[in-house]
Amino acid sequence: MNTVLLTQLKILKMSDIKPNFSELARLYEMDRRTIKKYYEGYEGKPKNRYKTSKLDKYKELIGIKLAIKGGNVRSVYEYLISEIDSDIGTYSNFNKYVKKEGLKPSKTPKGFPRYETSPGIQAQVDWKEDISIKNKFGKIFTFHVFSYKLGYSRYPVFIYKSSRTREDVIDCLIASFKNTGGVPKEILFDNMSSLVTFKDGHATISPKIQAFAKDFNFKIKRCKPYHPFTKGKVEAANKFIAWILPYEGEFETEKDLIEILSGINKKVCTRICYETGLTPVLLLQKEAEYLQPLPDINIVESYTAKTRRTTVTKDSMITYLGCKYSVPHQYIGKTVCLSVTKDMLYIYYSTDLISMHSISNRRLNYKEEHYKQLLKYSIKNEDSIDELAETNLRQMDEFL
């Protein structure tokens, strides 16, 4: 708009003089309606117009999810498209929106060298430790995720664990080998406590892990302390585990958490990797040809039939994968060992087999004789025990 004309219009307005819009239009070669509009107070289009975004209605939710410790922009984006609205646009636009609204914390980038390996040569492993998340009832679940990643294909395997023992490491490695179709020639670890033992300030590989590596024909390599970039591929995979954090308050059971982690694992395997330009699941087809086969089934089973120690609770039960299984009453408070083979759970006290169950999804798995033993200590009339046990067990089955 002509500044001279604007000044003239302001003077006329202040003097309460109505201008000749047609004359001004001829003089300044403008539409008389435009001049009239400016005289009546129009100030032109704003220089910075705010465009509405389809993400505006989720702004508060995005802020809440980003505030969860350990979360990141990508994890919140994946949560939104999976659980809230699949039509929120691309990740690039989502990231721009988060930056524009000041929701993204700034980070100082760090440089590190890149290491590449040929197919079948190396895998990297790590623990993502002490992840805490609340379910919809406010109960806190604290767990660990074992992260395994093949170096060439970038194919990751995420495994939910409630502990980080040597047995857990072995279980996770065997599960990872089976998942990827073979064993790499070497595996890169950090100095995780479940891998090494310390003596006089020096760390050495546990004999149990050394024997396992020999049986499965891979070499153990350790990255230098305080040099996490030497296993940067699995460190990069760990950031995807943060995708589980926005599910806080959205799940109910431990089984739900395991299923959520499995879904994240599948999603990461099928997304295009920035470094390779291909999906890990596609590159795995090539890398699998170079992986070594698993050893004889007898060797594998000698490790997979591992026993786990747990304590029998006051209801005469032990817990395995979120479900409870009964043992005889006299073992309450004692430490027993669990052995799992295929679909069966075996429970030992010392070397004695005290109970066995088919692995089930039911929350409570009582054997009738174990339940009757419990009733004997709580009711006086033993004649009614059989009937009461049958009734209570049936009601529990119907309720659960």
Side-chain angles (χ1 to χ4, degrees), residues 140-164:
I140 298 176
F141 289 76
T142 301
F143 59 96
H144 319 285
V145 176
F146 182 85
S147 181
Y148 174 96
K149 192 173 187 180
L150 288 172
Y152 174 78
S153 63
R154 270 73 169 180
Y155 188 93
V157 179
F158 302 142
I159 301 175
Y160 179 102
K161 282 289 181 180
S162 56
S163 59
R164 296 181 292 113

Side-chain angles (χ1 to χ4, degrees), residues 92-143:
S92 176
N93 287 335
F94 180 81
N95 196 20
K96 290 177 183 176
Y97 179 83
V98 170
K99 288 181 179 178
K100 180 181 177 182
E101 298 298 327
L103 301 174
K104 181 179 180 181
S106 59
K107 292 183 179 180
T108 303
K110 297 181 180 180
F112 56 88
R114 183 182 299 279
Y115 296 90
E116 295 295 343
T117 54
S118 300
I121 296 297
Q122 188 185 88
Q124 300 178 3
V125 302
D126 197 14
W127 284 107
K128 189 71 173 177
E129 304 169 359
D130 299 320
I131 303 170
S132 291
I133 186 170
K134 294 179 182 177
N135 69 358
K136 61 174 58 177
F137 308 116
K139 179 181 178 181
I140 298 176
F141 289 76
T142 301
F143 59 96

Side-chain angles (χ1 to χ4, degrees), residues 1 5 21-22 24-26 28-37:
M1 185 65 178
L5 175 57
F21 296 116
S22 298
L24 290 174
R26 285 192 295 270
Y28 289 100
E29 297 181 346
M30 294 179 62
D31 190 302
R32 66 181 303 279
R33 290 169 295 186
T34 302
I35 297 175
K36 182 181 179 183
K37 186 165 63 172

Side-chain angles (χ1 to χ4, degrees), residues 269-287:
C269 289
T270 54
R271 70 190 294 270
I272 294 177
C273 176
Y274 174 78
E275 290 84 359
T276 65
L278 297 169
T279 62
V281 71
L282 182 61
L283 279 178
L284 178 64
Q285 296 180 27
K286 177 178 180 181
E287 183 159 27

Side-chain angles (χ1 to χ4, degrees), residues 8-23:
Q8 187 176 348
L9 290 174
K10 287 180 181 178
I11 293 172
L12 292 172
K13 184 80 172 178
M14 292 172 63
S15 303
D16 200 22
I17 299 173
K18 185 175 181 180
N20 186 331
F21 296 116
S22 298
E23 183 63 30

Side-chain angles (χ1 to χ4, degrees), residues 245-304:
L245 296 178
Y247 285 87
E248 181 161 292
E250 310 288 342
F251 68 97
E252 295 184 6
T253 65
E254 185 179 51
K255 183 180 177 182
D256 293 338
L257 267 180
I258 294 172
E259 290 177 352
I260 291 170
L261 182 63
S262 177
I264 291 171
N265 200 163
K266 290 176 182 177
K267 186 181 289 188
V268 176
C269 289
T270 54
R271 70 190 294 270
I272 294 177
C273 176
Y274 174 78
E275 290 84 359
T276 65
L278 297 169
T279 62
V281 71
L282 182 61
L283 279 178
L284 178 64
Q285 296 180 27
K286 177 178 180 181
E287 183 159 27
E289 299 175 5
Y290 295 86
L291 294 172
Q292 305 174 105
L294 271 74
D296 182 83
I297 187 64
N298 292 325
I299 294 177
V300 176
E301 288 186 350
S302 71
Y303 286 97
T304 55

Side-chain angles (χ1 to χ4, degrees), residues 328-343:
H329 173 270
Q330 63 265 35
Y331 296 101
I332 289 176
K334 298 185 182 297
T335 299
V336 296
C337 293
L338 314 182
S339 178
V340 182
T341 57
K342 295 184 179 179
D343 58 350

